[in-house]
Amino acid sequence: MKIKKASEVKRVCYHCGENAVDDLYHIEEKNFCCRGCQTVYEIINKSDLCSYYDLEQNPGINQKQEIRKGKFDFLDDTQIIKKLTHFQDDTHQHVIFYLPQMHCASCIWILEHLNKINSGIIKSQVNFIKKEVTIIYNFHETSLKKVAEALTLIGYEPHISLNDVSTGKVKKYDTTAIVKLGIAGFCFGNIMMLSFPEYFSLAKSDDIGLNTWFSYLNLFLALPVFFYSASEFFISGYKGLRQKFLNIDAPIALAVLITFGRSLYEILSGTGAGYLDSMSGIVFFMLIGRYFQNRTYQSISFDRDFTSYFPLGVSVVNEDGTEKQISVADLKVGNRIKIHNDEIIPADSILFLGKATIDYSFVTGESLPVEKSIGEIAYAGGKQTSGAIELEVVKEVSQSYLTQLWNNEAFKENKEEVKVSFIHRVSRYFTYVLFSIAAIAAIYWSINDPSKVWGAVTAVLIVACPCALLLSATFTNGNMIRILNKYKLYVKNASVIEYMSEIDTVVFDKTGTITEQGKSEISFQGIELSEAQSQLIRSLANQSNHPLSKSIVSFLPFSKRLNIKNYKEFKGFGTSATINEHFIKMGSSDFVLGKDSDQLVSGSRVYVSVDEEFIGYFIVKNAYRNGLEKIVSSLHTQFDLKILSGDNSSEENYLKTIFGNKTEMLFEQKPEDKLNFIKHLQNNHKKVLMIGDGLNDAGALKQSNVGIAISDDTNNFSPACDAVLSGKNFTLLKELVNYCRKQKTIIFSSFVLSILYNFAGLFFAVQGDLKPVIAAILMPISSISIVLLTTGLSSFYELKLKKLNPDKSQF
């Protein structure tokens, strides 16, 4: 039957853009969906910040979830303030807050005008990529608690987790790479400039002194490049040789060493000007490539643990009934804690008071919340969804089930290096060929003209070092990472791209991965509901905090408030009430009809009767991601697909219509089960891509060849993984994987181009007649050509992605 949905109501909230169903909240002609949004507007208007609404339409964050008083009392703790403070002097303190709600230009604007809301705030600066705001405030005029409350009042509640204080000191930004690059670039440019007379034979016989002076200046400029900027190549090459492994840095380090050594000999002996320009150029371009490749990793955290998910503070109930906020780390066995709606349970506890409906989806994968009775244990990591409850801690945070699960050795295992990167394999063969050419040249000239042996051998090693291969790899990887970022796939490092190109099996988690978190699909089977019946059912459902009841409330349109009497809720069965003189029952088949349903159905059924007359049932199913059928169909042609879920098998039949009967599906899987299944596939020589979203997927994500965490706007935490993919771009999964497969094609294409330049250089090198000007011309031309080719090819292969991209906003 067709029912008009609440989403069809035209009136929207002026602040957040959601449906303003009730006509209770409005100021002049501006409608609001709740008192919270109206209050935020009043604060913004009072602070003369209404330009916030001019930059974007309905830019605010929904405020239906009221912020309880005293939530940030733990920020008055001196020790916690000390750990969260990045800098402090006699007047000012600097803090950085993570704000997952940040999403548009209006967010940036209002967050950088916090001083108008709290006069104690001196300055606030936004890092939009990291969704962080740096706040400088005068702690004599305001406090950290008041700063957090000010942010929360306007809809940007800071995410403060146990991880923020457990790591100790603030992580400093490492500037070493930039300093090395800057020194190499400065020296390279000046050495090239001082070498121009040598290039064009401008040094006259009567200018020998000036020429010698230029050569010594070049040597002086080359020293920091050789001993500092190039140090990472020597260190990496040495470590590889100690492990009896020839990586690509070893031959590059050899080329730098030979070039510097020969140049040093020629300058000190007065027999030539050397090749210091080529040496500094090699180092400079290699460092550019590495910096370009690595700079994209800094904005995403890939190695998170459960402490990033846990809150920092918790309410402890004292013997006299008063509440006090303390750090989660200070919880002790026997403490009575109060957990409010939508808060995380930080330690294994026994329910002491209240009604507990706990969502474990992020920890176990179970999609429906679990109801707990007084005296039952509630495990750490669950989220309370039905008001405030009181619990008694039975295990400290460090001893809880979730902590023990995370500390299990299986979850700590590092991925085995299944293979050596093809870059290192190619460079090894390249090195063998290079040494062979040098040996042949040495043998030839030792027979024909021994005076040319030294010049020929060193020239071969200088002109044909595998720097082109490394340059190809770093610029290709850097550009591909940049393009993947554009499509909201954030990879941990360049190796992930290579591993992604070799997968043959894709394993999906269900809850939150192929389904949309917090959304459901609802339909009603039965008589056609009148408007009056819809309101009776909606009014009853609105009394319950159960997720199925909430789904029904969102599905049925609001018309008017009805008088409710004798409301009763029967745990695990359903609810009943008398509404406008009609007796309404809603719940399981056994509760409403007095018998169990023998029909198999995907999803959950909620049966309804009015005045003891059965009128039909709602079917509530997980809402699967848009385009799932299409993406599964396209993946089936290329990969073996599997489903691993911690949820029950109620929707297995529906999933088979999408994935097919041959797809292996395992349900009610514990985290250890998922990890062991991935190991089983790998033992059968499968290259596995695991896609998940919760803590229960952490072990499997880590064990798989590539682990991708799906992240939606509603979820500000993702487990340890190799890559993070935005849920909005889930439909691009196959194209993103195939794009990664182009990595080797691009690298080999640019490497072939560089070999052509090497042939030209080797023609002169084997004759022992390599002039500095020839080396100076070939090296930059080769490097620039590689950069242009890798950039062009990676952008060319991006065209298919650009056509299919569902989110055009980033272009």
Side-chain angles (χ1 to χ4, degrees):
M1 64 156 283
K2 183 176 180 181
I3 300 177
K4 185 181 179 182
K5 297 184 180 180
S7 59
E8 295 173 0
V9 178
K10 298 292 184 181
R11 192 166 54 241
V12 296
C13 177
Y14 182 75
H15 177 70
C16 70
E18 293 197 10
N19 291 331
V21 179
D22 296 341
D23 193 25
L24 300 176
Y25 311 110
H26 55 82
I27 298 175
E28 298 174 348
E29 297 181 355
K30 300 176 178 65
N31 297 299
F32 301 93
C33 64
C34 61
R35 185 175 300 279
C37 286
Q38 180 177 319
T39 302
V40 172
Y41 170 78
E42 291 171 346
I43 293 170
I44 291 174
N45 186 41
K46 183 179 178 181
S47 303
D48 195 25
L49 293 173
C50 280
S51 297
Y52 172 66
Y53 297 102
D54 298 334
L55 298 174
E56 302 279 346
Q57 185 176 12
N58 314 121
I61 312 300
N62 183 273
Q63 296 293 302
K64 288 182 180 179
Q65 178 69 40
E66 292 186 7
I67 304 301
R68 62 179 176 84
K69 185 178 180 181
K71 183 170 186 177
F72 295 106
D73 285 351
F74 64 90
L75 292 181
D76 284 333
D77 188 303
T78 305
Q79 292 301 315
I80 291 178
I81 294 174
K82 184 176 180 181
K83 291 179 178 180
L84 291 175
T85 300
H86 285 235
F87 174 81
Q88 179 174 340
D89 57 22
D90 294 337
T91 306
H92 301 147
Q93 285 180 335
H94 297 203
V95 294
I96 298 178
F97 282 135
Y98 173 55
L99 307 178
Q101 309 90 341
M102 199 185 304
H103 67 285
C104 66
S106 290
C107 298
I108 298 173
W109 187 84
I110 196 167
L111 288 170
E112 292 193 343
H113 288 80
L114 291 175
N115 59 315
K116 292 190 176 182
I117 297 173
N118 185 327
S119 60
I121 295 175
I122 308 300
K123 180 182 179 182
S124 53
Q125 185 172 354
V126 168
N127 184 328
F128 186 71
I129 295 177
K130 293 186 176 183
K131 295 192 174 182
E132 291 178 344
V133 59
T134 300
I135 298 174
I136 303 173
Y137 66 96
N138 185 330
F139 59 85
H140 297 299
E141 297 182 11
T142 188
S143 66
L144 185 59
K145 172 186 171 181
K146 290 181 179 178
V147 170
E149 288 176 341
L151 285 167
T152 304
L153 278 173
I154 59 172
Y156 298 92
E157 180 180 347
H159 178 77
I160 309 173
S161 70
L162 183 59
N163 184 60
D164 293 328
V165 297
S166 61
T167 52
K169 295 183 178 179
V170 179
K171 185 177 179 181
K172 301 292 185 181
Y173 178 71
D174 186 7
T175 59
T176 304
I178 297 178
V179 173
K180 286 184 175 181
L181 179 59
I183 289 174
F186 172 79
C187 295
F188 170 56
N190 282 279
I191 291 173
M192 287 280 286
M193 180 183 68
L194 294 172
S195 299
F196 267 88
E198 180 68 29
Y199 295 158
F200 303 107
S201 301
L202 298 178
K204 305 294 184 180
S205 57
D206 55 351
D207 292 330
I208 293 177
L210 184 60
N211 195 35
T212 302
W213 173 244
F214 281 173
S215 296
Y216 276 98
L217 273 178
N218 285 343
L219 179 59
F220 175 76
L221 289 168
L223 291 176
V225 177
F226 180 77
F227 286 104
Y228 180 65
S229 297
S231 59
E232 61 186 75
F233 299 106
F234 291 103
I235 294 171
S236 175
Y238 173 70
K239 288 180 178 179
L241 293 175
R242 284 189 62 184
Q243 299 292 326
K244 297 182 180 179
F245 170 66
L246 184 64
N247 60 29
I248 193 170
D249 286 338
I252 289 176
L254 177 63
V256 171
L257 179 62
I258 293 295
T259 308
F260 182 78
R262 176 168 171 174
S263 301
L264 181 64
Y265 169 77
E266 290 187 359
I267 292 172
L268 294 179
S269 65
T271 57
Y275 303 90
L276 295 174
D277 48 354
S278 297
M279 184 213 73
S280 56
I282 291 172
V283 175
F284 177 59
F285 282 108
M286 295 302 99
L287 292 177
I288 285 180
R290 287 195 171 176
Y291 177 75
F292 178 58
Q293 174 181 291
N294 295 332
R295 73 183 179 89
T296 54
Y297 307 150
Q298 298 163 3
S299 61
I300 303 293
S301 177
F302 296 92
D303 298 310
R304 307 181 193 178
D305 63 12
F306 69 95
T307 59
S308 299
Y309 182 55
F310 274 17
L312 177 56
V314 64
S315 296
V316 173
V317 181
N318 299 317
E319 292 182 0
D320 59 1
T322 58
E323 294 181 31
K324 179 184 178 182
Q325 284 278 331
I326 69 169
S327 171
V328 166
D330 295 331
L331 274 180
K332 303 294 182 185
V333 173
N335 281 156
R336 181 83 59 82
I337 60 175
K338 190 169 186 177
I339 301 298
H340 298 79
N341 192 52
D342 270 348
E343 289 187 348
I344 305 297
I345 298 172
D348 295 350
S349 310
I350 291 176
L351 181 62
F352 189 84
L353 183 67
K355 176 187 174 183
T357 306
I358 303 173
D359 179 4
Y360 284 111
S361 61
F362 199 67
V363 179
T364 66
E366 176 67 42
S367 59
L368 290 177
V370 178
E371 294 186 350
K372 295 287 183 180
S373 300
I374 291 175
E376 289 187 308
I377 191 167
Y379 292 105
K383 179 188 287 187
Q384 165 65 355
T385 62
S386 57
I389 56 175
E390 290 186 18
L391 307 103
E392 185 171 303
V393 176
V394 295
K395 289 184 180 180
E396 294 182 13
V397 175
S398 60
Q399 301 298 319
S400 68
Y401 165 75
L402 182 60
T403 307
Q404 290 178 359
L405 174 66
W406 194 272
N407 291 336
N408 187 298
E409 289 301 318
F411 290 82
K412 291 182 178 180
E413 291 178 4
N414 291 320
K415 289 180 183 172
E416 297 179 3
E417 288 293 336
V418 180
K419 66 173 191 62
V420 176
S421 172
F422 80 96
I423 298 294
H424 297 301
R425 295 202 307 272
V426 172
S427 72
R428 187 185 308 163
Y429 294 122
F430 182 90
T431 303
Y432 295 155
V433 172
L434 180 60
F435 283 162
S436 299
I437 294 174
I440 292 171
I443 294 171
Y444 175 83
W445 287 116
S446 64
I447 297 172
N448 294 281
D449 187 354
S451 65
K452 289 190 175 184
V453 171
W454 165 252
V457 171
T458 54
V460 168
L461 296 176
I462 291 171
V463 79
C465 87
C467 60
L469 178 59
L470 180 59
L471 198 63
S472 303
T474 53
F475 272 96
T476 298
N477 291 332
N479 206 42
M480 292 188 78
I481 290 171
R482 178 186 62 81
I483 290 173
L484 291 173
N485 283 359
K486 193 195 306 185
Y487 295 91
K488 298 182 180 178
L489 174 62
Y490 306 97
V491 298
K492 184 176 183 179
N493 53 46
S495 299
V496 175
I497 298 176
E498 185 176 341
Y499 294 147
M500 190 107 71
S501 69
E502 298 181 347
I503 63 166
D504 52 33
T505 303
V506 180
V507 179
F508 292 98
D509 169 53
K510 182 173 83 77
T511 307
T513 301
I514 59 176
T515 67
E516 293 202 52
Q517 198 72 266
K519 294 184 179 180
S520 56
E521 294 179 354
I522 310 172
S523 61
F524 183 79
Q525 302 294 323
I527 68 170
E528 183 171 355
L529 295 177
S530 65
E531 181 179 343
Q533 289 173 323
S534 294
Q535 291 312 300
L536 290 172
I537 297 170
R538 189 182 192 279
S539 296
L540 176 60
N542 202 33
Q543 303 306 304
S544 173
N545 283 306
H546 195 281
L548 295 179
S549 296
K550 291 180 178 179
S551 297
I552 292 171
V553 170
S554 66
F555 177 70
L556 296 173
F558 173 82
S559 177
K560 59 182 178 179
R561 298 182 184 277
L562 303 179
N563 185 34
I564 300 172
K565 299 178 181 179
N566 301 322
Y567 172 78
K568 295 181 181 179
E569 185 163 346
F570 303 89
K571 180 182 175 182
F573 293 96
T575 59
S576 66
T578 300
I579 307 175
N580 282 12
E581 307 305 324
H582 293 283
F583 181 62
I584 315 297
K585 291 179 73 175
M586 184 167 62
S588 66
S589 173
D590 185 43
F591 178 69
V592 175
L593 300 177
K595 63 179 181 178
D596 291 332
S597 173
D598 55 359
Q599 297 184 23
L600 295 176
V601 64
S602 296
S604 302
R605 285 187 178 186
V606 180
Y607 293 80
V608 183
S609 69
V610 178
D611 295 326
E612 301 293 351
E613 180 182 347
F614 174 65
I615 62 172
Y617 56 84
F618 293 92
I619 299 177
V620 183
K621 298 191 297 184
N622 284 309
Y624 288 86
R625 294 190 182 275
N626 291 331
L628 180 62
E629 295 88 347
K630 183 178 179 181
I631 187 65
V632 168
S633 177
S634 64
L635 288 170
H636 257 309
T637 62
Q638 202 169 337
F639 306 103
D640 185 18
L641 305 185
K642 315 279 184 186
I643 290 180
L644 282 180
S645 177
D647 202 358
N648 58 57
S649 59
S650 63
E651 298 187 11
E652 181 176 5
N653 292 331
Y654 176 73
L655 287 171
K656 285 182 177 179
T657 64
I658 299 176
F659 285 83
N661 292 323
K662 293 183 179 180
T663 298
E664 187 173 3
M665 300 182 186
L666 299 177
F667 297 93
E668 298 180 358
Q669 296 292 292
K670 296 179 180 178
E672 300 95 328
D673 299 329
K674 292 186 176 186
L675 183 144
N676 290 330
F677 182 76
I678 299 296
K679 283 185 176 180
H680 171 72
L681 291 175
Q682 292 173 329
N683 291 337
N684 286 286
H685 311 292
K686 297 289 187 179
K687 302 290 173 46
V688 183
L689 167 62
M690 172 70 191
I691 305 176
D693 79 310
L695 287 173
N696 62 316
D697 302 317
L701 287 168
K702 197 163 188 179
Q703 177 63 36
S704 59
N705 298 82
V706 177
I708 296 180
I710 298 292
S711 177
D712 290 304
D713 292 339
T714 56
N715 184 12
N716 56 40
F717 175 86
S718 57
C721 56
D722 298 306
V724 177
L725 174 64
S726 168
K728 294 179 181 179
N729 284 22
F730 178 72
T731 54
L732 290 177
L733 180 62
K734 181 186 177 183
E735 284 68 31
L736 290 168
V737 173
N738 285 336
Y739 181 72
C740 292
R741 289 175 180 263
K742 301 297 183 183
Q743 178 208 40
K744 290 184 180 179
T745 302
I746 297 172
I747 291 176
F748 279 126
S749 298
S750 57
F751 188 46
V752 168
L753 176 64
S754 70
I755 287 177
L756 297 177
Y757 288 107
N758 281 343
F759 282 150
L762 287 171
F763 174 78
F764 296 99
V766 295
Q767 300 179 61
D769 191 29
L770 181 65
K771 304 293 185 184
V773 65
I774 296 174
I777 292 172
L778 288 176
M779 186 274 300
I781 290 179
S782 174
S783 300
I784 292 170
S785 300
I786 289 170
V787 172
L788 292 176
L789 182 62
T790 56
T791 303
L793 287 177
S794 55
S795 299
F796 172 76
Y797 289 126
E798 181 201 359
L799 293 177
K800 187 175 182 181
L801 277 172
K802 191 173 290 188
K803 291 179 182 177
L804 297 172
N805 180 37
D807 182 8
K808 307 292 183 182
S809 62
Q810 60 259 46
F811 300 111

